[in-house]
Amino acid sequence: MKMKNLALAQVRRGERFTLDGVEFVKLEDDLDAAFAVAADTLPECCQFESDDAEREDHNNFSGSHIAKVMERWLRDQHKPIFDATLERPIDLTSMDGMTTYGKPFAVARLLTIDEFRKYRRFIPLTSKPFWTATPWTTLRSPCSNGCYAYRISTGGTVNYGVVYYANFAPRPALYLQSSILVSVETEDEEKVLADYTDTELMDELYRRRRSTYDPD
C-alpha cells in the first residue's frame, strides 16, 4: 500500500482518507464541502455537559461542554483540519420530535441520530462508545427532561446516556472544504480514477464499445 494525495472532491463516498494525521470516512458531497466522520473516536471520553453548567438545557449540543472539547481539539491540535472546516447548520431535533433547540450553525460537531442512520453503511465501528448530538427530550417535551442525550455503543447499537457521565467519547463529524488535499491509500500497482487523463478515459470507453460492436 502507498499513500496518494487527492482533492477531497475526488474521494468516493465510504472511502477513508487522512488529513493532518486523522483518519476520516467521507459520507456525502455537499456543494463546496464534503461531510465526513472520524474513523474512530477521540482518545478520551468526556461529559456531554459539565456538572456546574449554568443553563438548564444540558442536552442541547449548542454551547455544550462536548462542543467546546471538540473545538479545542481542532484549534489546538489540528489547525489544518480546523482551517478546512466549514460552518454548517446541525439539526438538534429531539428523539420525540421537539424542535426546541433548532438548527444552529456549528463548526466542530457530532453526528446526529438521523445522520448515523442515513450513513450507517459507511460508518465503521469504534474502539469506544460515542456521543451523538441528538437529545432524548427537551424541557418543552411532555416528559420534560434535559439530562439525556443519545449515544452509540462500540457494537453500533443506539441508546441514551446521562449527559453528566464521562462514559462516551466525542466523534467529530465535519464539513470539510472539497478542494483541500487529503491522503488516501492505494495499491502500488494500480491507478485510481484521478490518475487517468480525459483522453485516456475516452479512449478506454471507445475501446470497450468497439470490442462489443456487432454489425449483425
Side-chain angles (χ1 to χ4, degrees):
M1 291 286 184
K2 65 177 181 178
M3 302 303 292
K4 180 177 180 64
N5 290 332
L6 290 177
L8 181 52
Q10 297 176 292
V11 177
R12 295 167 295 185
R13 294 175 69 198
E15 188 174 7
R16 296 189 182 213
F17 65 90
T18 301
L19 178 60
D20 195 38
V22 180
E23 189 175 37
F24 290 91
V25 179
K26 183 175 177 178
L27 303 178
E28 188 71 83
D29 287 301
D30 185 294
L31 298 176
D32 58 343
F35 187 43
V37 66
D40 204 352
T41 65
L42 300 192
E44 302 297 330
C45 293
C46 72
Q47 294 171 289
F48 190 98
E49 185 57 284
S50 303
D51 297 328
D52 57 354
E54 296 181 358
R55 61 182 189 164
E56 294 182 346
D57 53 345
H58 291 177
N59 60 357
N60 184 351
F61 174 75
S62 181
S64 64
H65 171 70
I66 195 170
K68 296 170 185 175
V69 167
M70 288 199 298
E71 184 163 346
R72 286 197 299 269
W73 173 76
L74 283 175
R75 285 182 182 274
D76 299 343
Q77 299 183 42
H78 296 285
K79 189 67 161 50
I81 300 178
F82 180 78
D83 290 343
T85 303
L86 300 175
E87 188 178 51
R88 291 291 172 87
I90 180 172
D91 188 346
L92 298 181
T93 300
S94 66
M95 191 59 82
D96 61 346
M98 299 297 288
T99 58
T100 310
Y101 299 158
K103 297 180 181 180
F105 280 81
V107 176
R109 45 157 293 171
L110 304 169
L111 287 170
T112 66
I113 285 294
D114 286 342
E115 290 165 349
F116 179 76
R117 293 170 63 193
K118 179 178 180 180
Y119 302 113
R120 182 65 185 88
R121 66 190 184 278
F122 298 137
I123 298 175
L125 299 178
T126 51
S127 57
K128 291 183 174 64
F130 61 93
W131 290 107
T132 76
T134 300
W136 179 48
T137 63
T138 72
L139 296 178
R140 292 187 181 180
S141 300
C143 190
S144 186
N145 194 313
C147 297
Y148 300 99
Y150 271 80
R151 50 83 171 175
I152 310 296
S153 73
T154 54
T157 57
V158 178
N159 208 327
Y160 59 82
V162 179
V163 295
Y164 315 116
Y165 296 162
N167 294 332
F168 313 109
R171 187 183 195 181
L174 309 174
Y175 282 91
L176 299 168
Q177 297 171 14
S178 295
S179 58
I180 61 171
L181 288 179
V182 299
S183 298
V184 296
E185 245 185 21
T186 61
E187 296 286 351
D188 290 343
E189 69 277 6
E190 293 183 0
K191 287 185 178 181
V192 296
L193 189 61
D195 288 329
Y196 294 91
T197 66
D198 290 346
T199 300
E200 288 173 328
L201 291 172
M202 291 298 293
D203 288 345
E204 175 63 16
L205 179 61
Y206 287 134
R207 186 193 66 77
R208 294 187 183 189
R209 286 184 175 178
R210 288 194 299 271
S211 66
T212 57
Y213 176 66
D214 185 355
D216 297 327

